[in-house]
Tab-separated table of all heavy atoms in Angstrom:
chain	number	residue	atom	x	y	z
A	1	ALA	N	-0.376	-10.339	-2.499
A	1	ALA	CA	0.292	-9.252	-1.795
A	1	ALA	C	0.153	-9.494	-0.302
A	1	ALA	O	-0.795	-10.122	0.156
A	1	ALA	CB	-0.337	-7.919	-2.172
A	2	SER	N	1.111	-8.965	0.436
A	2	SER	CA	1.039	-9.047	1.889
A	2	SER	C	1.595	-7.760	2.488
A	2	SER	O	2.318	-7.011	1.830
A	2	SER	CB	1.802	-10.271	2.406
A	2	SER	OG	3.160	-10.198	2.051
A	3	VAL	N	1.216	-7.521	3.733
A	3	VAL	CA	1.654	-6.334	4.461
A	3	VAL	C	2.102	-6.758	5.847
A	3	VAL	O	1.862	-7.879	6.274
A	3	VAL	CB	0.518	-5.290	4.557
A	3	VAL	CG1	0.178	-4.732	3.191
A	3	VAL	CG2	-0.723	-5.867	5.208
A	4	SER	N	2.765	-5.831	6.552
A	4	SER	CA	3.237	-6.180	7.883
A	4	SER	C	3.252	-4.954	8.786
A	4	SER	O	3.146	-3.818	8.329
A	4	SER	CB	4.637	-6.789	7.808
A	4	SER	OG	5.570	-5.813	7.411
A	5	THR	N	3.391	-5.226	10.066
A	5	THR	CA	3.441	-4.135	11.030
A	5	THR	C	4.763	-3.380	10.976
A	5	THR	O	4.900	-2.353	11.628
A	5	THR	CB	3.196	-4.653	12.459
A	5	THR	OG1	4.157	-5.677	12.745
A	5	THR	CG2	1.792	-5.213	12.598
A	6	ASP	N	5.722	-3.844	10.174
A	6	ASP	CA	6.976	-3.101	10.024
A	6	ASP	C	6.920	-2.136	8.833
A	6	ASP	O	7.942	-1.703	8.320
A	6	ASP	CB	8.182	-4.032	9.918
A	6	ASP	CG	8.211	-4.867	8.640
A	6	ASP	OD1	7.276	-4.756	7.820
A	6	ASP	OD2	9.164	-5.625	8.469
A	7	LYS	N	5.690	-1.804	8.381
A	7	LYS	CA	5.426	-0.761	7.389
A	7	LYS	C	5.708	-1.168	5.945
A	7	LYS	O	5.783	-0.339	5.068
A	7	LYS	CB	6.185	0.523	7.707
A	7	LYS	CG	5.992	1.036	9.105
A	7	LYS	CD	6.869	2.242	9.348
A	7	LYS	CE	6.878	2.617	10.812
A	7	LYS	NZ	7.795	3.708	11.077
A	8	ARG	N	5.858	-2.474	5.683
A	8	ARG	CA	6.182	-2.921	4.324
A	8	ARG	C	4.957	-3.436	3.590
A	8	ARG	O	4.130	-4.137	4.158
A	8	ARG	CB	7.222	-4.032	4.355
A	8	ARG	CG	8.610	-3.565	4.697
A	8	ARG	CD	9.623	-4.661	4.545
A	8	ARG	NE	9.276	-5.792	5.416
A	8	ARG	CZ	9.595	-7.048	5.155
A	8	ARG	NH1	10.261	-7.357	4.071
A	8	ARG	NH2	9.247	-8.005	5.985
A	9	LEU	N	4.887	-3.078	2.320
A	9	LEU	CA	3.940	-3.646	1.374
A	9	LEU	C	4.754	-4.547	0.459
A	9	LEU	O	5.718	-4.096	-0.158
A	9	LEU	CB	3.258	-2.542	0.559
A	9	LEU	CG	2.537	-2.961	-0.725
A	9	LEU	CD1	1.395	-3.916	-0.422
A	9	LEU	CD2	2.063	-1.735	-1.474
A	10	ILE	N	4.395	-5.814	0.393
A	10	ILE	CA	5.122	-6.779	-0.431
A	10	ILE	C	4.181	-7.326	-1.492
A	10	ILE	O	3.109	-7.838	-1.176
A	10	ILE	CB	5.671	-7.934	0.429
A	10	ILE	CG1	6.588	-7.390	1.519
A	10	ILE	CG2	6.392	-8.958	-0.444
A	10	ILE	CD1	6.861	-8.370	2.631
A	11	VAL	N	4.571	-7.190	-2.741
A	11	VAL	CA	3.808	-7.764	-3.846
A	11	VAL	C	4.674	-8.894	-4.397
A	11	VAL	O	5.702	-8.658	-5.025
A	11	VAL	CB	3.488	-6.717	-4.929
A	11	VAL	CG1	2.688	-7.362	-6.050
A	11	VAL	CG2	2.729	-5.537	-4.327
A	12	HIS	N	4.274	-10.102	-4.102
A	12	HIS	CA	5.061	-11.281	-4.455
A	12	HIS	C	5.265	-11.364	-5.966
A	12	HIS	O	4.347	-11.192	-6.735
A	12	HIS	CB	4.385	-12.530	-3.904
A	12	HIS	CG	4.168	-12.432	-2.416
A	12	HIS	ND1	5.179	-12.641	-1.511
A	12	HIS	CD2	3.087	-12.081	-1.697
A	12	HIS	CE1	4.715	-12.458	-0.292
A	12	HIS	NE2	3.441	-12.111	-0.379
A	13	GLY	N	6.498	-11.568	-6.363
A	13	GLY	CA	6.855	-11.636	-7.765
A	13	GLY	C	7.144	-10.276	-8.385
A	13	GLY	O	7.588	-10.191	-9.518
A	14	ILE	N	6.887	-9.184	-7.648
A	14	ILE	CA	7.118	-7.830	-8.154
A	14	ILE	C	8.186	-7.123	-7.326
A	14	ILE	O	9.189	-6.671	-7.834
A	14	ILE	CB	5.825	-6.975	-8.123
A	14	ILE	CG1	4.721	-7.610	-8.966
A	14	ILE	CG2	6.105	-5.544	-8.567
A	14	ILE	CD1	4.945	-7.574	-10.455
A	15	GLY	N	7.961	-7.016	-6.028
A	15	GLY	CA	8.895	-6.318	-5.152
A	15	GLY	C	8.197	-5.825	-3.911
A	15	GLY	O	7.143	-6.346	-3.537
A	16	GLN	N	8.770	-4.811	-3.283
A	16	GLN	CA	8.186	-4.296	-2.061
A	16	GLN	C	8.354	-2.795	-1.963
A	16	GLN	O	9.218	-2.215	-2.611
A	16	GLN	CB	8.789	-4.975	-0.834
A	16	GLN	CG	10.246	-4.664	-0.597
A	16	GLN	CD	10.751	-5.326	0.669
A	16	GLN	OE1	10.013	-5.515	1.615
A	16	GLN	NE2	12.017	-5.681	0.682
A	17	ALA	N	7.510	-2.189	-1.167
A	17	ALA	CA	7.613	-0.769	-0.845
A	17	ALA	C	7.915	-0.696	0.649
A	17	ALA	O	7.043	-0.970	1.472
A	17	ALA	CB	6.317	-0.039	-1.183
A	18	ALA	N	9.170	-0.419	0.986
A	18	ALA	CA	9.550	-0.263	2.390
A	18	ALA	C	8.984	1.066	2.877
A	18	ALA	O	8.916	2.040	2.130
A	18	ALA	CB	11.066	-0.284	2.526
A	19	ASN	N	8.569	1.108	4.123
A	19	ASN	CA	7.979	2.315	4.712
A	19	ASN	C	6.824	2.842	3.864
A	19	ASN	O	6.712	4.034	3.606
A	19	ASN	CB	9.034	3.400	4.931
A	19	ASN	CG	10.073	2.970	5.932
A	19	ASN	OD1	9.745	2.424	6.973
A	19	ASN	ND2	11.328	3.179	5.613
A	20	ALA	N	5.949	1.936	3.450
A	20	ALA	CA	4.793	2.301	2.641
A	20	ALA	C	3.814	3.183	3.420
A	20	ALA	O	3.046	3.928	2.837
A	20	ALA	CB	4.088	1.043	2.144
A	21	HIS	N	3.854	3.075	4.747
A	21	HIS	CA	3.016	3.881	5.644
A	21	HIS	C	3.876	4.353	6.811
A	21	HIS	O	4.993	3.876	7.000
A	21	HIS	CB	1.856	3.049	6.192
A	21	HIS	CG	0.699	2.904	5.272
A	21	HIS	ND1	-0.382	3.746	5.304
A	21	HIS	CD2	0.422	1.992	4.305
A	21	HIS	CE1	-1.267	3.364	4.407
A	21	HIS	NE2	-0.795	2.294	3.774
A	22	ASP	N	3.329	5.267	7.605
A	22	ASP	CA	4.029	5.747	8.801
A	22	ASP	C	3.744	4.881	10.020
A	22	ASP	O	4.320	5.095	11.081
A	22	ASP	CB	3.629	7.197	9.104
A	22	ASP	CG	4.095	8.143	8.018
A	22	ASP	OD1	5.148	7.880	7.406
A	22	ASP	OD2	3.402	9.150	7.775
A	23	GLY	N	2.849	3.928	9.894
A	23	GLY	CA	2.527	2.999	10.974
A	23	GLY	C	2.398	1.603	10.392
A	23	GLY	O	2.454	1.405	9.183
A	24	GLY	N	2.223	0.629	11.285
A	24	GLY	CA	2.061	-0.746	10.834
A	24	GLY	C	0.882	-0.881	9.885
A	24	GLY	O	-0.153	-0.243	10.078
A	25	ILE	N	1.030	-1.688	8.861
A	25	ILE	CA	-0.022	-1.882	7.864
A	25	ILE	C	-0.819	-3.116	8.259
A	25	ILE	O	-0.264	-4.177	8.497
A	25	ILE	CB	0.573	-2.043	6.450
A	25	ILE	CG1	1.506	-0.873	6.133
A	25	ILE	CG2	-0.539	-2.142	5.418
A	25	ILE	CD1	2.296	-1.053	4.855
A	26	TYR	N	-2.147	-2.951	8.306
A	26	TYR	CA	-3.008	-4.023	8.806
A	26	TYR	C	-3.886	-4.676	7.755
A	26	TYR	O	-4.486	-5.700	8.014
A	26	TYR	CB	-3.869	-3.499	9.950
A	26	TYR	CG	-3.036	-3.072	11.124
A	26	TYR	CD1	-2.968	-1.751	11.498
A	26	TYR	CD2	-2.284	-4.000	11.828
A	26	TYR	CE1	-2.174	-1.349	12.565
A	26	TYR	CE2	-1.482	-3.612	12.895
A	26	TYR	CZ	-1.441	-2.291	13.257
A	26	TYR	OH	-0.657	-1.904	14.303
A	27	GLY	N	-3.974	-4.076	6.570
A	27	GLY	CA	-4.827	-4.677	5.561
A	27	GLY	C	-4.397	-4.324	4.156
A	27	GLY	O	-3.828	-3.263	3.912
A	28	VAL	N	-4.667	-5.242	3.237
A	28	VAL	CA	-4.394	-5.032	1.813
A	28	VAL	C	-5.510	-5.704	1.019
A	28	VAL	O	-6.011	-6.755	1.407
A	28	VAL	CB	-3.010	-5.579	1.405
A	28	VAL	CG1	-2.906	-7.072	1.634
A	28	VAL	CG2	-2.685	-5.220	-0.033
A	29	SER	N	-5.932	-5.051	-0.061
A	29	SER	CA	-6.976	-5.615	-0.909
A	29	SER	C	-6.732	-5.204	-2.354
A	29	SER	O	-6.436	-4.045	-2.635
A	29	SER	CB	-8.347	-5.105	-0.459
A	29	SER	OG	-9.362	-5.654	-1.255
A	30	TRP	N	-6.861	-6.169	-3.254
A	30	TRP	CA	-6.716	-5.885	-4.683
A	30	TRP	C	-7.985	-5.224	-5.197
A	30	TRP	O	-9.088	-5.654	-4.889
A	30	TRP	CB	-6.447	-7.164	-5.460
A	30	TRP	CG	-5.072	-7.690	-5.267
A	30	TRP	CD1	-4.687	-8.657	-4.386
A	30	TRP	CD2	-3.899	-7.272	-5.954
A	30	TRP	NE1	-3.343	-8.867	-4.489
A	30	TRP	CE2	-2.824	-8.025	-5.444
A	30	TRP	CE3	-3.646	-6.334	-6.939
A	30	TRP	CZ2	-1.528	-7.872	-5.894
A	30	TRP	CZ3	-2.348	-6.180	-7.389
A	30	TRP	CH2	-1.305	-6.941	-6.868
A	31	ILE	N	-7.841	-4.186	-6.031
A	31	ILE	CA	-8.962	-3.547	-6.718
A	31	ILE	C	-9.129	-4.202	-8.088
A	31	ILE	O	-10.230	-4.506	-8.521
A	31	ILE	CB	-8.715	-2.035	-6.895
A	31	ILE	CG1	-8.589	-1.363	-5.536
A	31	ILE	CG2	-9.826	-1.403	-7.707
A	31	ILE	CD1	-8.130	0.080	-5.619
A	32	ASN	N	-8.028	-4.379	-8.778
A	32	ASN	CA	-7.997	-5.065	-10.073
A	32	ASN	C	-6.594	-5.645	-10.254
A	32	ASN	O	-5.843	-5.735	-9.287
A	32	ASN	CB	-8.404	-4.131	-11.226
A	32	ASN	CG	-7.518	-2.900	-11.344
A	32	ASN	OD1	-6.336	-2.932	-11.024
A	32	ASN	ND2	-8.099	-1.797	-11.801
A	33	ASP	N	-6.209	-6.018	-11.454
A	33	ASP	CA	-4.918	-6.671	-11.686
A	33	ASP	C	-3.706	-5.783	-11.427
A	33	ASP	O	-2.604	-6.280	-11.236
A	33	ASP	CB	-4.824	-7.206	-13.113
A	33	ASP	CG	-5.723	-8.412	-13.328
A	33	ASP	OD1	-6.170	-9.008	-12.334
A	33	ASP	OD2	-5.975	-8.747	-14.500
A	34	SER	N	-3.900	-4.462	-11.425
A	34	SER	CA	-2.744	-3.583	-11.279
A	34	SER	C	-2.863	-2.564	-10.139
A	34	SER	O	-1.969	-1.748	-9.967
A	34	SER	CB	-2.493	-2.829	-12.595
A	34	SER	OG	-3.599	-2.002	-12.895
A	35	ARG	N	-3.939	-2.607	-9.370
A	35	ARG	CA	-4.105	-1.650	-8.272
A	35	ARG	C	-4.508	-2.361	-6.994
A	35	ARG	O	-5.274	-3.320	-7.009
A	35	ARG	CB	-5.180	-0.626	-8.627
A	35	ARG	CG	-4.730	0.331	-9.685
A	35	ARG	CD	-5.624	1.548	-9.728
A	35	ARG	NE	-5.027	2.522	-10.627
A	35	ARG	CZ	-5.529	2.831	-11.807
A	35	ARG	NH1	-6.640	2.272	-12.213
A	35	ARG	NH2	-4.920	3.716	-12.567
A	36	LEU	N	-3.996	-1.842	-5.877
A	36	LEU	CA	-4.384	-2.380	-4.586
A	36	LEU	C	-4.466	-1.269	-3.550
A	36	LEU	O	-3.917	-0.184	-3.728
A	36	LEU	CB	-3.440	-3.492	-4.135
A	36	LEU	CG	-1.944	-3.251	-4.120
A	36	LEU	CD1	-1.518	-2.753	-2.762
A	36	LEU	CD2	-1.230	-4.530	-4.441
A	37	LEU	N	-5.183	-1.557	-2.459
A	37	LEU	CA	-5.362	-0.619	-1.356
A	37	LEU	C	-4.678	-1.158	-0.116
A	37	LEU	O	-4.671	-2.372	0.122
A	37	LEU	CB	-6.851	-0.445	-1.032
A	37	LEU	CG	-7.738	0.161	-2.095
A	37	LEU	CD1	-9.194	0.078	-1.650
A	37	LEU	CD2	-7.347	1.608	-2.349
A	38	THR	N	-4.133	-0.241	0.698
A	38	THR	CA	-3.597	-0.612	2.004
A	38	THR	C	-4.203	0.319	3.056
A	38	THR	O	-4.526	1.469	2.779
A	38	THR	CB	-2.063	-0.498	2.057
A	38	THR	OG1	-1.657	0.817	1.666
A	38	THR	CG2	-1.397	-1.538	1.167
A	39	ILE	N	-4.345	-0.206	4.269
A	39	ILE	CA	-4.841	0.566	5.410
A	39	ILE	C	-3.876	0.340	6.572
A	39	ILE	O	-3.339	-0.753	6.730
A	39	ILE	CB	-6.287	0.156	5.772
A	39	ILE	CG1	-6.873	1.065	6.834
A	39	ILE	CG2	-6.372	-1.280	6.210
A	39	ILE	CD1	-7.378	2.371	6.331
A	40	SER	N	-3.650	1.408	7.354
A	40	SER	CA	-2.591	1.338	8.345
A	40	SER	C	-2.976	1.996	9.669
A	40	SER	O	-3.946	2.767	9.742
A	40	SER	CB	-1.357	2.048	7.770
A	40	SER	OG	-0.369	2.234	8.738
A	41	ALA	N	-2.158	1.737	10.682
A	41	ALA	CA	-2.313	2.370	11.993
A	41	ALA	C	-2.093	3.874	11.920
A	41	ALA	O	-2.474	4.602	12.828
A	41	ALA	CB	-1.332	1.738	12.986
A	42	ASP	N	-1.499	4.368	10.842
A	42	ASP	CA	-1.321	5.811	10.678
A	42	ASP	C	-2.610	6.504	10.230
A	42	ASP	O	-2.629	7.695	9.961
A	42	ASP	CB	-0.173	6.133	9.720
A	42	ASP	CG	-0.388	5.640	8.294
A	42	ASP	OD1	-1.501	5.168	7.964
A	42	ASP	OD2	0.560	5.727	7.500
A	43	LYS	N	-3.704	5.722	10.166
A	43	LYS	CA	-5.039	6.221	9.801
A	43	LYS	C	-5.093	6.767	8.384
A	43	LYS	O	-5.743	7.759	8.106
A	43	LYS	CB	-5.527	7.242	10.817
A	43	LYS	CG	-5.644	6.646	12.194
A	43	LYS	CD	-6.154	7.624	13.205
A	43	LYS	CE	-6.224	6.937	14.557
A	43	LYS	NZ	-6.511	7.832	15.623
A	44	LYS	N	-4.378	6.069	7.484
A	44	LYS	CA	-4.385	6.440	6.074
A	44	LYS	C	-4.731	5.234	5.219
A	44	LYS	O	-4.332	4.111	5.510
A	44	LYS	CB	-3.027	7.004	5.657
A	44	LYS	CG	-2.744	8.330	6.316
A	44	LYS	CD	-1.435	8.907	5.887
A	44	LYS	CE	-1.238	10.234	6.617
A	44	LYS	NZ	0.125	10.708	6.505
A	45	LEU	N	-5.482	5.523	4.177
A	45	LEU	CA	-5.811	4.545	3.150
A	45	LEU	C	-5.016	4.956	1.916
A	45	LEU	O	-5.037	6.124	1.527
A	45	LEU	CB	-7.310	4.595	2.853
A	45	LEU	CG	-7.833	3.707	1.728
A	45	LEU	CD1	-7.802	2.245	2.153
A	45	LEU	CD2	-9.240	4.120	1.349
A	46	LYS	N	-4.297	4.009	1.320
A	46	LYS	CA	-3.472	4.330	0.154
A	46	LYS	C	-3.805	3.393	-1.003
A	46	LYS	O	-4.044	2.205	-0.796
A	46	LYS	CB	-1.982	4.232	0.485
A	46	LYS	CG	-1.534	5.279	1.496
A	46	LYS	CD	-0.039	5.241	1.711
A	46	LYS	CE	0.396	6.333	2.688
A	46	LYS	NZ	1.868	6.365	2.833
A	47	CYS	N	-3.801	3.973	-2.198
A	47	CYS	CA	-4.009	3.207	-3.423
A	47	CYS	C	-2.677	3.132	-4.159
A	47	CYS	O	-2.039	4.161	-4.401
A	47	CYS	CB	-5.067	3.882	-4.290
A	47	CYS	SG	-5.361	3.015	-5.843
A	48	TRP	N	-2.280	1.932	-4.514
A	48	TRP	CA	-1.001	1.669	-5.173
A	48	TRP	C	-1.241	1.110	-6.561
A	48	TRP	O	-2.192	0.368	-6.784
A	48	TRP	CB	-0.197	0.666	-4.360
A	48	TRP	CG	0.055	1.092	-2.959
A	48	TRP	CD1	-0.768	0.894	-1.882
A	48	TRP	CD2	1.187	1.796	-2.469
A	48	TRP	NE1	-0.203	1.433	-0.759
A	48	TRP	CE2	0.996	1.996	-1.083
A	48	TRP	CE3	2.358	2.283	-3.056
A	48	TRP	CZ2	1.925	2.655	-0.292
A	48	TRP	CZ3	3.276	2.921	-2.256
A	48	TRP	CH2	3.058	3.102	-0.889
A	49	THR	N	-0.355	1.443	-7.496
A	49	THR	CA	-0.416	0.910	-8.852
A	49	THR	C	0.857	0.134	-9.160
A	49	THR	O	1.956	0.585	-8.823
A	49	THR	CB	-0.575	2.057	-9.879
A	49	THR	OG1	-1.792	2.725	-9.617
A	49	THR	CG2	-0.606	1.524	-11.291
A	50	LEU	N	0.697	-1.009	-9.790
A	50	LEU	CA	1.834	-1.810	-10.249
A	50	LEU	C	2.024	-1.523	-11.726
A	50	LEU	O	1.075	-1.619	-12.503
A	50	LEU	CB	1.564	-3.296	-10.045
A	50	LEU	CG	1.095	-3.706	-8.658
A	50	LEU	CD1	0.845	-5.195	-8.626
A	50	LEU	CD2	2.090	-3.295	-7.606
A	51	SER	N	3.228	-1.158	-12.105
A	51	SER	CA	3.468	-0.853	-13.515
A	51	SER	C	4.168	-2.021	-14.202
A	51	SER	O	4.645	-2.939	-13.554
A	51	SER	CB	4.305	0.421	-13.651
A	51	SER	OG	5.587	0.218	-13.128
A	52	GLY	N	4.236	-1.953	-15.511
A	52	GLY	CA	4.817	-3.024	-16.305
A	52	GLY	C	6.288	-3.257	-16.043
A	52	GLY	O	6.808	-4.318	-16.338
A	53	ASN	N	6.984	-2.275	-15.476
A	53	ASN	CA	8.423	-2.453	-15.212
A	53	ASN	C	8.678	-2.863	-13.763
A	53	ASN	O	9.710	-2.562	-13.199
A	53	ASN	CB	9.205	-1.181	-15.573
A	53	ASN	CG	8.733	0.029	-14.789
A	53	ASN	OD1	7.739	-0.039	-14.087
A	53	ASN	ND2	9.443	1.122	-14.917
A	54	ASP	N	7.704	-3.554	-13.177
A	54	ASP	CA	7.832	-4.120	-11.839
A	54	ASP	C	8.094	-3.082	-10.755
A	54	ASP	O	8.911	-3.291	-9.865
A	54	ASP	CB	8.909	-5.213	-11.801
A	54	ASP	CG	8.521	-6.427	-12.615
A	54	ASP	OD1	7.321	-6.573	-12.922
A	54	ASP	OD2	9.400	-7.222	-12.949
A	55	THR	N	7.401	-1.954	-10.815
A	55	THR	CA	7.500	-0.958	-9.756
A	55	THR	C	6.139	-0.776	-9.093
A	55	THR	O	5.091	-0.994	-9.709
A	55	THR	CB	7.994	0.403	-10.284
A	55	THR	OG1	7.084	0.864	-11.281
A	55	THR	CG2	9.386	0.302	-10.866
A	56	ILE	N	6.180	-0.378	-7.841
A	56	ILE	CA	4.981	-0.122	-7.050
A	56	ILE	C	4.945	1.377	-6.789
A	56	ILE	O	5.859	1.926	-6.178
A	56	ILE	CB	5.024	-0.889	-5.716
A	56	ILE	CG1	5.242	-2.384	-5.966
A	56	ILE	CG2	3.766	-0.640	-4.912
A	56	ILE	CD1	5.597	-3.167	-4.724
A	57	SER	N	3.908	2.053	-7.266
A	57	SER	CA	3.825	3.508	-7.148
A	57	SER	C	2.582	3.919	-6.379
A	57	SER	O	1.485	3.397	-6.618
A	57	SER	CB	3.749	4.151	-8.533
A	57	SER	OG	4.845	3.775	-9.312
A	58	LEU	N	2.751	4.883	-5.471
A	58	LEU	CA	1.621	5.436	-4.737
A	58	LEU	C	0.824	6.332	-5.661
A	58	LEU	O	1.376	7.216	-6.320
A	58	LEU	CB	2.129	6.234	-3.526
A	58	LEU	CG	1.049	6.923	-2.688
A	58	LEU	CD1	0.115	5.908	-2.058
A	58	LEU	CD2	1.699	7.794	-1.629
A	59	GLN	N	-0.485	6.130	-5.729
A	59	GLN	CA	-1.350	6.935	-6.586
A	59	GLN	C	-2.203	7.913	-5.788
A	59	GLN	O	-2.333	9.060	-6.153
A	59	GLN	CB	-2.261	6.033	-7.416
A	59	GLN	CG	-1.507	5.180	-8.403
A	59	GLN	CD	-0.702	5.995	-9.391
A	59	GLN	OE1	-1.232	6.853	-10.071
A	59	GLN	NE2	0.584	5.746	-9.458
A	60	VAL	N	-2.803	7.439	-4.690
A	60	VAL	CA	-3.713	8.270	-3.900
A	60	VAL	C	-3.513	7.947	-2.426
A	60	VAL	O	-3.338	6.788	-2.056
A	60	VAL	CB	-5.192	7.999	-4.275
A	60	VAL	CG1	-6.141	8.795	-3.400
A	60	VAL	CG2	-5.442	8.296	-5.741
A	61	GLU	N	-3.567	8.982	-1.595
A	61	GLU	CA	-3.474	8.814	-0.145
A	61	GLU	C	-4.643	9.569	0.485
A	61	GLU	O	-4.862	10.745	0.179
A	61	GLU	CB	-2.159	9.383	0.369
A	61	GLU	CG	-1.998	9.289	1.863
A	61	GLU	CD	-0.654	9.811	2.313
A	61	GLU	OE1	0.375	9.463	1.691
A	61	GLU	OE2	-0.627	10.568	3.277
A	62	ILE	N	-5.413	8.894	1.334
A	62	ILE	CA	-6.559	9.510	2.000
A	62	ILE	C	-6.331	9.446	3.495
A	62	ILE	O	-6.116	8.378	4.059
A	62	ILE	CB	-7.866	8.777	1.631
A	62	ILE	CG1	-8.089	8.857	0.122
A	62	ILE	CG2	-9.045	9.370	2.403
A	62	ILE	CD1	-9.218	7.980	-0.358
A	63	ASP	N	-6.399	10.614	4.152
A	63	ASP	CA	-6.259	10.696	5.603
A	63	ASP	C	-7.622	10.449	6.212
A	63	ASP	O	-8.560	11.214	5.987
A	63	ASP	CB	-5.717	12.066	5.996
A	63	ASP	CG	-5.321	12.149	7.454
A	63	ASP	OD1	-5.764	11.275	8.253
A	63	ASP	OD2	-4.590	13.064	7.811
A	64	LEU	N	-7.772	9.384	6.985
A	64	LEU	CA	-9.060	9.004	7.547
A	64	LEU	C	-9.412	9.792	8.799
A	64	LEU	O	-10.512	9.636	9.322
A	64	LEU	CB	-9.076	7.507	7.818
A	64	LEU	CG	-8.862	6.620	6.589
A	64	LEU	CD1	-8.771	5.175	6.985
A	64	LEU	CD2	-9.939	6.857	5.555
A	65	GLU	N	-8.533	10.638	9.287
A	65	GLU	CA	-8.821	11.452	10.469
A	65	GLU	C	-9.608	12.703	10.122
A	65	GLU	O	-10.158	13.345	10.993
A	65	GLU	CB	-7.536	11.850	11.176
A	65	GLU	CG	-6.931	10.724	11.962
A	65	GLU	CD	-5.816	11.184	12.866
A	65	GLU	OE1	-4.956	11.960	12.396
A	65	GLU	OE2	-5.831	10.783	14.023
A	66	GLU	N	-9.628	13.098	8.868
A	66	GLU	CA	-10.313	14.333	8.483
A	66	GLU	C	-11.812	14.141	8.430
A	66	GLU	O	-12.346	13.136	8.249
A	66	GLU	CB	-9.794	14.825	7.137
A	66	GLU	CG	-8.358	15.214	7.232
A	66	GLU	CD	-7.800	15.699	5.899
A	66	GLU	OE1	-8.537	15.750	4.891
A	66	GLU	OE2	-6.631	16.025	5.869
């Protein structure tokens, strides 16, 4: 997976989530085979799930400013 400052989360071989965050995305890390985390300039941590039908779905969003 890769991310970019243009707010995209790209999971190679699966697809992408355009505007995955409200700010540039600076980090991505796999939790397991079907879940990953992203962190962004919008001060949010998001957990994403990949489903069997090649979709990327937001599962949890944590605001780091609180």
Side-chain angles (χ1 to χ4, degrees):
S2 61
V3 293
S4 68
T5 56
D6 67 359
K7 308 175 190 176
R8 287 187 301 152
L9 163 62
I10 302 164
V11 180
H12 304 282
I14 301 290
Q16 67 178 329
N19 296 315
H21 279 267
D22 294 328
I25 307 171
Y26 297 113
V28 61
S29 181
W30 286 96
I31 298 171
N32 59 31
D33 289 344
S34 63
R35 289 197 172 110
L36 52 92
L37 296 173
T38 55
I39 187 80
S40 170
D42 63 8
K43 299 181 181 171
K44 292 182 181 167
L45 176 71
K46 294 185 178 184
C47 179
W48 303 87
T49 298
L50 309 179
S51 66
N53 59 352
D54 293 342
T55 59
I56 305 167
S57 303
L58 178 63
Q59 295 301 305
V60 176
E61 178 178 314
I62 299 171
D63 190 342
L64 300 175
E65 284 191 314
E66 295 179 1

